[in-house]
């Protein structure tokens, strides 16, 4: 821990504003307090960071979701006691690594999602039962990505039990719904897909005499809908810690930006029509739209200048803000926080009076 | 060094096929042999890897280009003796770090690009002259990114000398020209922009009595044009080592794909209309188009499934290739090699009979 000023950083650099992140954590605690029977299981794919996972557990989270075996390892190493790999694995090498982590961190409860018998067989072959791995069935609730059809849930649950594994419940997550801008339309879509399919799938299990203890899903844009549905037992928001331009377009969000890419203007053209910053494809992602420049979000557009450069312009000749000079540092709000965090090996946590790494 | 099979890797993983990369190196040596008075200075922003930089020097490269101060450090640490930071810095913190590297690796010649007096002042303040840093002026040859106007070259060269620094030449690079598909149109564009502006800028310097020893630029798509121009003294291709889908669309390229992302099918929908692989935004970039699936480049399209997933489909219901099964590993050719490499901390170099990490 060393307090340094952001001016001392070689940019592009990834920074968290500590006070803003703390406010987001408080807002999440407050939001979840309305659903006392539903647990918070934040998705660590947003931050990939053991200390932040521990902060979330300290806030009252049951544990975390992870998207990769590496993230499971990071969470287990940090001391998180309940970790859901909210995705499928499909090779024996990957499943063995997951089971090895479960064996190494036996004080942690590890769970994994399956949507076909193939992974159930791999889990059996890798000895998952002996290390107390729990299994959830992922159901396709409309994203058409991973997940089985609700009609397959009972057979898969039976296959899990026959393999000597513990069937713990279902995952019903739909990423695309998180970003429907209108609150009512978003709620209706969640009720019609994630909630309806979760209810249907759970009922099929109950009808077959199979317990379904966990129903998990929901993200930063929708978690209050899932939490209030009466069927979900836990929710998986991750982006709420940081937020981004894309989530910021949901008008009803209570969360604020706490994650920034610090960039520096390295060149300005002689007509003052555009400025070049040192943040290109390797520093910010464009998959959910460009980053926003703090203080100029309405007027200055970011366009890609390639791997290492971003181009800032208002679109008008000679119309660059007067304070834009070579050497000026700018704060960018990432278009999409998760893949932007993924570009960095270090994040700097900054308090209002300085900064600690 | 441990020989393991690719089946043992937890995917997504980045791999180099050693024999293909060796062929690309030979093709580059052969191509450059036609221009005995022009040096090869490969751009290491493509690979960011000290051992690969050393291979390129062993092939006869003068040294390397770097895009960031981190890359300069990697190259200097590996033992590269001639390193050009082919970009501008704009803060004292960054320039001090660059100068510190020059001091630490005094056997290496470090150079940097400038396009305004601001950076010249910072270099002076950071003591760049004492550590023998060389300075090039970057000229905007039409990309409209960094680079000064040719009319500014003489004044900047004088400012460099007045600051006690060594003015070594000019950089004239235009990234967009690399991907003009038609060979003749590409050559004409390079001649009309990079070559013409380089000639003009050099002439302005000579007319002012200023020597201009280095003229550098060119990339994998155009380097033979710059090398044959009579004005460029060195060329900067980087992607030739690996290639990618984007560069592969240049019909006259002599280079082949040697870089791959290994991914695994983790889910297939029940109608066999799409397969889900474990390579999303965090494993492949889309900035120059999607990756191609080896063996299915003509028929199977990759679309993003979000941070962790890619969706493979022919676009027709039930038309998935018969060999696509959960657990099958697929080789993807990245759409754009540089930002894809940037997503990984490890690259596995694989020979035909096994693999060495």
């Amino acid at each position: 821990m060393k307090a340094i000023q952001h001016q001392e950083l070689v940019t592009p650099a990834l920074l968290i504003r500590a006070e803003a992140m703390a406010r987001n954590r408080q807002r999440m605690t407050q939001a979840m307090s309305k659903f006392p029977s539903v647990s918070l299981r934040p998705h660590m794919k947003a931050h990939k960071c053991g200390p932040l996972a521990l902060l979330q557990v300290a806030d009252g989270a049951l544990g975390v979701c992870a998207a990769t075996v590496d993230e499971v390892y990071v969470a287990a190493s940090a001391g998180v006691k309940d970790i859901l790999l909210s995705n499928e694995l499909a090779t024996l090498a990957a499943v063995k690594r997951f089971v090895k982590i479960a064996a190494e961190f036996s004080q942690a409860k590890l769970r994994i999602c399956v949507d076909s018998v193939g992974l159930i067989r791999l889990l059996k072959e890798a000895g998952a039962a002996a290390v107390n791995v729990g299994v959830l069935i992922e159901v396709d609730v409309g994203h058409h990505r991973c997940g089985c059809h609700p009609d397959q849930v009972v057979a898969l649950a039976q296959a899990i039990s026959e393999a000597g594994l513990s069937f713990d419940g279902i995952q019903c997550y739909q990423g695309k719904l998180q970003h429907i801008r209108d609150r009512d339309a978003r709620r209706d879509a969640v009720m019609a897909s994630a909630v309806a399919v979760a209810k249907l799938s759970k009922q099929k299990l109950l009808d077959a005499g199979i317990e379904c203890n966990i129903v998990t899903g929901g993200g930063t844009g929708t978690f209050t809908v899932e939490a209030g549905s009466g069927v979900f037992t836990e929710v998986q928001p991750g982006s709420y810690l940081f937020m981004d331009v894309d989530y910021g377009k949901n008008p009803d969000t209570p969360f604020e930006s706490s994650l920034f890419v610090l960039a520096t203007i390295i060149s300005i053209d002689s007509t003052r029509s555009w400025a070049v910053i040192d943040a290109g494809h390797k520093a910010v992602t464009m998959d959910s739209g460009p980053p926003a420049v703090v203080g100029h979000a309405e007027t200055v557009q970011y366009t890609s200048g390639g791997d290492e450069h971003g181009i800032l312009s208002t679109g008008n000749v000679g119309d660059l803000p007067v304070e834009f000079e070579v050497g000026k540092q700018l704060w960018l709000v990432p278009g999409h926080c998760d893949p932007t965090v993924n570009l960095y090996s270090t994040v700097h946590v900054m308090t209002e009076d300085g900064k600690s790494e």
Side-chain angles (χ1 to χ4, degrees), chain A residues 135-186:
Chain A
V135 182
L136 303 188
I137 296 171
E138 181 167 24
V139 186
D140 181 0
V141 299
H143 196 141
H144 298 334
R145 197 165 60 181
C146 293
C148 69
H149 192 277
D151 287 347
Q152 299 173 289
V153 169
V154 170
L156 282 173
Q158 288 166 342
I160 290 165
S161 298
E162 284 162 15
L165 294 158
S166 165
F167 169 69
D168 290 352
I170 56 176
Q171 173 170 281
C172 298
Y173 175 75
Q174 224 277 43
K176 292 177 181 174
L177 304 182
Q178 308 303 318
H179 306 281
I180 296 174
R181 301 307 172 199
D182 180 75
R183 182 212 295 245
D184 293 341
R186 197 178 334 126

Side-chain angles (χ1 to χ4, degrees), chain A residues 1-5 8 354-357:
Chain A
M1 288 292 212
K2 199 181 87 169
I4 59 169
Q5 300 298 313
E8 299 171 53
K355 203 168 54 58
S356 303
E357 281 192 80

Side-chain angles (χ1 to χ4, degrees), chain A residues 223-282:
Chain A
F223 72 96
T224 55
V225 185
E226 281 92 346
S229 68
V231 62
F232 280 74
T233 64
E234 58 180 53
V235 291
Q236 307 180 352
S239 299
Y240 76 92
L241 265 190
F242 296 149
M243 295 298 285
D244 53 34
V245 173
D246 194 23
Y247 262 120
K249 289 178 182 165
N250 286 6
D252 54 310
T253 185
F255 304 111
E256 66 185 291
S257 297
S258 67
L259 181 82
F260 301 86
V261 171
L262 187 68
T264 304
I265 296 177
I266 59 170
S267 183
I268 290 184
D269 90 299
S270 53
T271 66
R272 290 194 64 82
S273 294
W274 68 86
V276 183
I277 59 174
D278 56 358
H281 292 314
K282 293 180 181 174

